Amino acid sequence: MKPLLPFEQDSFANRHIGPSEAAVDQMLGALGYTSLEALIDTAVPDGIRLRRPLDLPGAMSESDATRVLAGYASKNRVLRSYLGMGYSDCFVPGVIRRNVFENPGWYTQYTPYQAEIAQGRLEALLNFQTMVVDLCGLPVANASLLDEATAAAEGMAMARAARKDASHSAFFVSDACHPQTVAVVRGRAEPLGVEIVVGDAGKVAFDRRYFGLLLQYPATDGKIVDYTPLCQAAHERGALVIVAADLLSLVLLKSPGEMGADVAVGSSQRFGVPLGFGGPHAAFFAVKEELERRLPGRLVGVSHDRRGKHAVRLALQTREQHIRREKATSNICTAQVLLAVMAGMYAVYHGPTGLLRIARRVRDAAALLAAGLRKLGHSVGAEPFFDTVRVTPGGRGNEILAEAARRGMNFRSFAGGDLGLAFDETTTQADLLAVLGAFAPAGKLTFSLQDLTGDAPALPDALRRTSEILTHPVFRKYGTETEMLRYIRKLESKDLSLTTSMIPLGSCTMKLNATTEMLPVSWPEFSGIHPFAPADQTEGYRLLFRDLEAWLAEITGFSAVSLQPNSGAQGEYAGLLVIRRYHQARGQGHRNVCLIPRSAHGTNPASATMAGMKVVVVECDQAGNIDIADLQNKAETHAADLAALMVTYPSTHGVFERRIREICDVIHARGGQVYMDGANLNAQLGVCRPGDFGPDVCHLNLHKTFCIPHGGGGPGMGPIAVARHLADYLPGHPVAGLGGKESIAPVSAAPWGSASILTISWMYIRMMGGDGLLRATQVAILNANYVAKKLGVHFPVLFQGNKGLVAHECILDMRELKKRADVEVEDVAKRLMDYGFHAPTMSWPVAGTMMVEPTESEPLAELDRFVAAMVGIHGEAKEIVEGKLDRADNPLKNAPHTVEDVVTSEWTHAYSRERAAFPAPWTRERKFWPSVGRIDNTWGDRNIFCTCPPVDPAEG
């Protein structure tokens, strides 16, 4: 047969979308529809439908998209960056790169709320916390925050909440802090009415009533100062001290805790995590014991299961913002789990001896540099330093910078002409000679490094660390790659991820994270670039940003996009700050009331409060929709001060509210703006666009809708898209020169947030094209309605839209099980583990329910398997009602069942071991065993213990 041109391309959409054409027809038949279009026409309100194709480039094959992105990558120039400012190049140990960073068994896990099937990453996070506690000299650390700058801002907010005396309203920030940290803290403080005073920490005058101080250690220009006297002075005046510290320096230096600091924050990036043009990286946050219950973010703690076996879990698990909502001090709901795991594994791999060797090598290189610069006649300060040297080049700054660039190096330039150079573990003798050569007349050195050893300054004894670090055996057992590989694999085997089965969590969109999408994250042209590298070295990234911003604007119907927010909650916060700035620019800065439906995500009211707004709750009607009458009443009552409405669409109850245009009109008529939470955007792509039906700004969870994986609870990205009248107010960044005079302050440390993982969403959109995205949305809605139809017979679907349809998720009501069989939602969740599934979202937004989102990536066979599991559990509950199973001793109450449970010599239950462990046929073919039984959460919360426990002698 004669070949035809062009060649037919393999369709990525067919690989991303789970159900085959035949399966789609079968599911449509079960629902009573003849086509996907007919289903969407019924489910989605006609008045908001997009009646044209998305204006996006056509779909590309995996190989073609990879080739185009590789072309972009080639336009990035990876120079040796000695810029510092909290970012350092590092070696990612191969065993960690391949088996954690690039391993779907680690990056497709969900947040470890179901701890019994998350013991691996919880142990890894406990290692991370222990590492931070040891190095910082403070007793409690959380499981990571987003980046150093936002961690410092969280510290400021925590200090303010801890200081109950309202007369203490100012916060001191050392001018030696990294510039991006100062900018983010200023931005966070302004809507809260906190006065920020930036100055010399050595001359701080307590003429203002400070509730806290932020200090950098070592300083951004490298100087090391012992802050012990300043900590004492601050405490005498009732202020808390927050120290932003370099983690590697603490291997050699006196710890913040030993100096008297109350809080230590910083980035763990240089512990084996790529630069990635700014992220993702895991920040750390450690506190004194009396502040542990004010700790923002997540805390991993030790408890035990029902047999008394050691187990790990999220302590204080119900997040603060879901309990306190508008009274919360933080909206943090995303950690950087995958990156914290990597940093903790780096410490496990190297151990205290290896870290000491790395720290000494970095310090020695900097000391030799200082000696060499002095020998060349340049002025270097006398203050002690760790890895960063500040030099006064005697008027030759521009010449030296040019010579450095010619040699493939980036140096930092300070105001006034000084230069800064920060070394890291990748620095070699050849690098050091090249740096010195850039400072030498005619580029030629007349001395060797050996000649400098006698002149290299040493660290003063008073600043040296004398306390031990990383004394727990976990940091001393896995020094060889064989041991490390087996340890990583052991932990991975304890965790259920998308490599095991579907994770049907509503509002969390655990879909396929295709390997082709993931590969570019590791390319050195994307992973090896410093976030503050000059623009002429990052052309490839700029092209990627250009494409992604344009595509997301077209997909959402908005005019402009900021890629900076590095989590969904950060996107909420940034969007509200943009609205606030818009009102201020129009002379209506008094507008500060934010209307929020009672069904909203807990982060919504927390974000509004952080943005300086007053939250007014809007009720929902019996169908779960916004109560229009209550909305109109409250909008009118607060019309003079109305700033915004926060609305999730489709609603948090999993349906398309048909009166969404009217809802937006109510707010606009009274001078307010509409913020749309984009958590449920997976139900809109190609079907409708928020920018067309009323909202003014929305955030997009790229880690949900656009395939960035959850990574066990992070990383995430939450860009915001805005209407034309808000475009001028999108976040700026002082270091990168991003934004204009109307821009809000940066909300993340890096100009484009966690830039390296934007490659994932670029690949997804480029390979799907507009038609593929539309198909994905249609099938996501189909899958959800199929599950709702199949399970609705057993568990009533709590909220339904037109003709009984839902959007891309459904809420199953299980309260009848509680009434009739004394079966809690938690019992269902734990029993699902025995069937090999992660539970759907529990008791949110309605207590006693489960929210199910199957996503478009799951094939019909997997949907049917999940349905069969839920039907099986319903059958067990029915047996309890009928008296065939004991109300207290049954498979639901005792779930999950471990190997130890079923092989123990004594079996006292009235049901069989076989029923306990193999409740469905597929569990015999491939069984995922929970590694611990049901964990005692109450005991864990009452006995907070958040570092690696002593080793049980029986375990060796």
Side-chain angles (χ1 to χ4, degrees), residues 11 46 59 100 153 215 282 353 379 390 497 503 523 561 597 681 697 734 748 767 770 793 806 834 860 866:
S11 169
D46 182 71
V100 178
L215 311 171
T353 302
S379 176
R390 180 168 181 163
S497 69
I503 301 180
W523 294 351
V561 172
L681 202 69
V697 55
S748 301
M767 293 188 295
V793 178
V806 297
D834 290 331
L860 178 58
F866 174 72

Side-chain angles (χ1 to χ4, degrees), residues 249-449:
S249 75
L250 301 183
V251 174
L252 296 180
L253 299 179
K254 187 177 180 180
S255 72
E258 290 169 316
M259 292 188 292
D262 302 281
V263 182
V265 302
S267 173
S268 64
Q269 176 267 316
R270 72 187 308 170
F271 275 41
V273 179
L275 286 164
F277 203 40
H281 306 140
F284 61 86
F285 197 107
V287 299
K288 288 184 173 178
E289 191 170 354
E290 54 266 31
L291 295 171
E292 69 181 9
R293 291 182 183 268
R294 294 184 179 274
L295 197 68
R298 296 175 183 149
L299 179 70
V300 173
V302 175
S303 187
H304 54 253
D305 72 2
R306 61 189 183 90
R307 284 180 169 271
K309 182 179 179 180
H310 162 84
V312 195
R313 57 179 286 277
L314 290 182
L316 312 174
Q317 180 165 328
T318 306
R319 291 167 288 171
E320 181 201 29
Q321 65 268 16
H322 284 304
I323 303 170
R324 304 187 67 227
R325 297 176 73 82
E326 68 273 11
K327 294 182 175 63
T329 59
S330 171
N331 68 347
I332 291 293
C333 71
T334 303
Q336 296 279 36
V337 172
L338 183 67
L339 300 315
V341 168
M342 289 178 67
M345 290 295 186
Y346 180 91
V348 170
Y349 183 61
H350 287 292
T353 302
L355 290 183
L356 185 61
R357 183 172 57 249
I358 293 168
R360 283 175 173 165
R361 189 169 69 241
V362 171
R363 173 60 178 70
D364 289 347
L368 288 171
L369 172 66
L373 290 172
R374 290 183 179 126
K375 200 173 189 71
L376 290 169
H378 300 288
S379 176
V380 176
E383 296 85 356
F385 53 83
F386 171 61
D387 66 348
T388 301
V389 176
R390 180 168 181 163
V391 54
T392 303
R396 293 183 55 227
N398 291 335
E399 174 191 337
I400 292 169
L401 288 174
E403 176 62 18
R406 190 185 68 79
R407 292 171 176 247
M409 301 181 294
N410 293 319
F411 297 166
R412 183 179 176 186
S413 179
F414 290 95
D418 283 7
L419 302 179
L421 299 102
F423 284 167
D424 55 60
E425 69 166 314
T426 70
T427 303
T428 65
Q429 292 187 30
D431 293 329
L432 181 51
L433 288 170
V435 169
L436 287 169
F439 283 87
K444 295 184 178 180
L445 296 175
T446 59
F447 53 83
S448 68
L449 295 182

